[in-house]
Amino acid sequence: MVPGDLAQALTLSESANWNQTAADWQRVLDLAESFCIELDGRIVASATAMVYGHRELAWIGMVLTLPEYRGRGLASTLVQASLDYCSDVACVKLDATEAGAPVYRKFGFEDECIVERWARPANAPAVLSDLTAGGEPDLSLDRQAFGVDRLQLLASFPNTCAIDGAFLMHRPGRQAAQIGPCVAQSPERAESLANWAVADYPQTPMFWDLFETHAAARSLAHSLRFAPSRRLLRMSLAGRNIPQDPSLVYAMSGFEFG
Ligand SMILES: CC(C)(COP(=O)(O)OP(=O)(O)OC[C@H]1O[C@@H](n2cnc3c(N)ncnc32)[C@H](O)[C@@H]1OP(=O)(O)O)[C@@H](O)C(=O)NCCC(=O)NCCS
């Protein structure tokens, strides 16, 4: 895909009722290798591969086929293209929807864990925070959490707050503002950062993607009136993994980035 494909890319994710805005797709097109299939004069399917660090980790995302073109092998073709592109990458992961998981299993992806999207309704009570945007994320803490450097991705997010290196980023979305990534050494720091993010979006629905097993993140999300809304399956290519520390991850960046 090339920058001029932005409008058609957005049509694809809107057709699946996903949350990405034009700015989100722009980020993907800028940072990831993006593949598409054109049929009947338009883009009808996509897949993207975001490579991190020194080709140590790749994240497959934005696997989409327009509804009227499904079941013809288009997504499979694009997943194969993405995997060919990632053939020298140590570890390949993704977050799969129920529709996507059978496609990935054919290529050797195995189940790793459940990730959940929590949603906060627009009419939830306002939250106050005395924090303001700014501060420097601790990049070594992020590397410990995520396993590899993802400096370019972090730099691409519009709003960041950091306290003692713990950090949270947030961004607008098509249906809901998105919290994440949030990496923190303690629930207390994550709480202050989450309050800051939620205070920034009065009367706006919000999404927060977290590990199902992260009790502290769940409890914090719950206290801020988020509730579970979707479950996805984190999958990784068999036999190719890297050390990560999910206990530090209070919010993921999004299903397309990990
Ligand atoms: C998931 C999706 C990308 C599949 O696209 P597609 O172009 O229809 O996929 P393919 O034609 O390559 O199908 C691949 C295989 O998965 C199977 N499959 C596809 N959709 C399926 C579904 N909803 N449930 C179960 N199996 C499914 C097909 O039977 C096919 O198997 P086969 O090759 O053995 O016949 C498409 O349904 C879609 O865009 N869904 C909405 C967005 C989404 O959930 N994307 C996945 C993100 S992880």
Side-chain angles (χ1 to χ4, degrees):
M1 293 172 104
V2 295
D5 293 332
L6 183 67
Q8 292 195 71
L10 194 56
T11 303
L12 273 176
S13 51
E14 285 174 358
S15 76
N17 210 22
W18 284 7
N19 194 39
Q20 284 83 7
T21 62
D24 290 321
W25 261 111
Q26 187 66 59
R27 180 177 299 109
V28 171
L29 294 177
D30 287 346
L31 299 179
E33 191 70 16
S34 304
F35 302 90
C36 68
I37 292 175
E38 276 181 344
L39 282 176
D40 307 325
R42 61 180 178 149
I43 293 177
V44 299
S46 66
T48 63
M50 180 90 182
V51 175
Y52 296 104
H54 302 285
R55 299 189 75 77
E56 295 149 286
L57 171 64
W59 210 273
I60 309 285
M62 307 310 282
V63 178
L64 287 154
T65 301
L66 285 180
E68 58 272 37
Y69 290 88
R70 288 180 191 164
R72 300 190 197 177
L74 302 189
S76 302
T77 301
L78 291 176
V79 170
Q80 182 63 64
S82 307
L83 290 178
D84 290 347
Y85 174 72
C86 298
S87 60
D88 61 337
V89 178
C91 172
V92 184
K93 295 196 186 208
L94 51 81
D95 289 332
T97 61
E98 205 178 327
V103 179
Y104 308 126
R105 285 207 179 93
K106 285 194 310 189
F107 290 96
F109 280 89
E110 292 179 340
D111 302 3
E112 192 174 298
C113 63
I114 300 292
V115 295
E116 290 182 336
R117 168 155 291 174
W118 287 50
R120 182 179 200 269
N123 63 0
V127 167
L128 296 176
S129 167
D130 51 12
L131 288 181
T132 50
E136 284 298 318
D138 179 342
L139 296 177
S140 62
L141 180 72
D142 187 60
R143 197 179 311 115
Q144 191 185 334
F146 194 62
V148 292
D149 282 325
R150 51 173 176 174
L151 198 53
Q152 274 190 309
L153 177 69
L154 297 182
S156 76
F157 291 121
N159 309 293
T160 304
C161 184
I163 330 166
D164 298 333
F167 67 91
L168 186 151
M169 297 172 177
H170 66 66
R171 59 190 185 273
R174 199 172 68 86
Q175 303 146 323
Q178 176 92 37
I179 284 194
C182 176
V183 172
Q185 317 87 327
S186 72
E188 292 74 24
R189 288 199 184 108
E191 181 178 9
S192 304
L193 293 166
N195 283 342
W196 164 75
V198 173
D200 268 4
Y201 290 98
Q203 313 263 294
T204 307
M206 299 186 79
F207 289 157
W208 179 339
D209 301 336
L210 48 79
F211 287 107
E212 185 203 29
T213 50
H214 199 308
R218 291 174 70 93
S219 149
L220 180 53
H222 182 73
S223 71
L224 286 167
R225 308 294 175 97
F226 286 79
S229 71
R230 292 183 68 186
R231 284 162 72 84
L232 279 85
L233 187 58
R234 175 148 301 179
M235 304 179 87
S236 51
L237 260 190
R240 289 163 66 178
N241 224 325
I242 52 160
Q244 296 181 309
D245 187 349
S247 71
L248 297 170
V249 178
Y250 283 77
M252 291 149 192
S253 306
F255 300 139
E256 69 274 44
F257 297 123

